[in-house]
Amino acid sequence: MWMEGSLRSSREPVQAVVAHGAHDLRVEEVPSPELGPLDAEVGVVVGGICGSDLHYYHEGGVGDFMIRQPLVLGHEIAGTVLRVGEGAELTSGERVVIDPSSSCGLCPMCRRGRPNLCSAVQFLGSAAHFPHVQGGFRQRLITSASNCVPVPDGLPLETAVMSEPLAVAVHAVVRAGTLIGRRVLVTGAGPIGLLIALVASRAGASAVIVTDIESEPLERAARVGATQTVHVTSGTQELDQVDAAFEASGAPPALASALRAVRPGGQLVVVGLPPGLVPIPAGAMITREVDVTGSFRFDNDEFRAALTMLANGLDVSPLLTGRFPLKDAVKAFDAASDRSKTTKVQLTFN
Ligand SMILES: [Zn+2]
Ligand SMILES: [Zn+2]
């Protein structure tokens, strides 16, 4: 239903979580853009804090992408449609989760069916382009209706919003090919590592071994289907041989350990983004013909598949370790930064 009141209020500024630089996170008013004919305005209900949000918070950037203007963070967003543009195929009142990725559809990678590698991709809450793409940690978000994926009845938005990180895990498993009957290693028991463990065990892996440098995340790994957990100390570690390994920590020693753990002819999927240049045991890769595969984000089909898995009862509750109201965003970011205690921290809006 289209309401006068919401139209009027929609141009009013909204409260948002804005990163101004390293360790300068503020809850403040930001302007609301205009609703385009193919847009929807979403009343944000819940947002998940992601590793990249934490990098913006702690370092003022992710990898090479530094904040050059105030940036509203957040790309794991779910809420309720408040109003839609005249050409948008959505209904107000509908509950939706946002696919944060908008690929151009025209570049060579898009035309090859690899939209996650689009050279012009716009990703919610990202400093990759200038001006930055402002994110979804705000009370109301205007976004293209095509990025709004309806949430099946009965699935809480707090669960549905896990579609985004789960889609990253789905994509990584798709990159690996079949895991049926395979022994799988996951290095790094953060949100993505745990979700990969969950998807890999659903995908028929005969064993799922998860490693981390802290014991608390490994306890959560056991709760999402890891058949074995290994507490690694600092440095590289010798691990049992596996058919496929997923590196999900971004830590250079873990990448080296994972590569050595893959059996000859096996596969390593690298998901965690390490900082800068990283030494790898190239000999172990070459002489044993280990296939090394990069995995980056996901496409819209994988995002929808992730939502369907959640609607079908995939249990991600062991990962949901904290929820804070918008006004306590800084507390929420600090809590999310303590990975001994938390895996996925969420913010609630409105
Ligand atoms: Zn994320
Ligand atoms: Zn493209």
Side-chain angles (χ1 to χ4, degrees):
M1 201 195 339
W2 189 87
M3 285 185 300
E4 256 335 298
S6 61
L7 175 65
R8 253 198 317 276
S9 66
S10 69
R11 294 309 308 280
E12 286 165 16
V14 294
Q15 294 282 315
V17 180
V18 187
H20 287 258
H23 290 285
D24 186 0
L25 192 71
R26 307 177 201 170
V27 176
E28 62 187 12
E29 283 196 343
V30 297
S32 241
E34 211 147 334
L35 184 81
L38 297 177
D39 289 342
E41 183 176 44
V42 176
V44 177
V45 172
V46 61
I49 298 175
C50 187
S52 61
D53 296 315
L54 293 174
H55 281 292
Y56 285 119
Y57 175 47
H58 291 289
E59 290 124 44
V62 178
D64 297 337
F65 310 137
M66 299 306 287
I67 295 175
R68 291 157 66 197
Q69 65 183 149
L71 175 68
V72 178
L73 296 179
H75 60 264
E76 300 179 9
I77 305 296
T80 307
V81 175
L82 298 176
R83 61 188 183 120
V84 295
E86 66 247 31
E89 287 173 15
L90 270 180
T91 330
S92 35
E94 225 169 336
R95 300 180 322 131
V96 292
V97 58
I98 310 297
D99 177 349
S101 224
S102 303
S103 49
C104 76
L106 301 169
C107 74
M109 281 301 126
C110 282
R111 283 188 278 119
R112 279 181 199 156
R114 309 282 294 269
N116 59 315
L117 305 181
C118 171
S119 55
V121 69
Q122 300 267 304
F123 198 85
L124 215 56
S126 162
H129 296 286
F130 189 85
H132 302 338
V133 181
Q134 299 295 324
F137 287 165
R138 57 171 75 221
Q139 291 167 311
R140 295 193 311 271
L141 170 70
I142 289 185
T143 183
S144 170
S146 61
N147 289 76
C148 299
V149 182
V151 173
D153 287 342
L155 183 65
L157 290 177
E158 290 78 6
T159 308
V161 75
M162 290 296 282
S163 297
E164 199 274 344
L166 182 59
V168 175
V170 168
H171 183 68
V173 169
V174 168
R175 293 285 286 154
T178 183
L179 294 181
I180 295 171
R182 302 258 158 112
R183 280 172 57 78
V184 168
L185 168 70
V186 181
T187 51
I192 298 299
L194 293 182
L195 289 169
I196 289 171
L198 193 55
V199 176
S201 58
R202 286 292 179 103
S206 62
V208 179
I209 305 151
V210 180
T211 71
D212 201 274
I213 53 168
E214 298 203 57
S215 47
E216 293 88 346
L218 290 174
E219 286 161 23
R220 292 190 278 274
R223 291 170 61 201
V224 297
T227 53
Q228 187 192 339
T229 60
V230 180
H231 188 163
V232 294
T233 44
S234 55
T236 57
Q237 190 118 347
E238 291 304 320
L239 298 162
D240 291 345
Q241 295 282 286
V242 294
D243 302 299
F246 294 86
E247 203 309 284
S249 72
L255 182 60
S257 296
L259 186 50
R260 286 203 186 90
V262 176
R263 65 155 166 82
Q267 187 166 34
L268 170 64
V269 179
V270 186
V271 190
L273 209 53
L277 284 178
V278 170
I280 58 159
M285 177 180 75
I286 297 162
T287 60
R288 299 179 314 130
E289 293 196 346
V290 173
D291 291 329
V292 178
T293 306
S295 184
F296 186 58
R297 293 180 182 160
F298 48 84
D299 64 28
N300 187 260
D301 286 344
E302 290 160 341
F303 185 89
R304 286 169 189 269
L307 178 62
T308 302
M309 290 166 83
L310 293 167
N312 288 345
L314 188 77
D315 184 14
V316 292
S317 62
L319 279 69
L320 303 179
T321 47
R323 203 166 287 149
F324 292 79
L326 169 61
K327 66 174 171 57
D328 294 331
V330 175
K331 262 189 221 161
F333 271 68
D334 286 334
S337 306
D338 181 357
R339 58 189 307 277
S340 73
K341 295 197 182 67
T342 64
T343 292
K344 180 60 75 179
V345 173
Q346 297 180 327
L347 287 169
T348 55
F349 300 79
N350 300 309

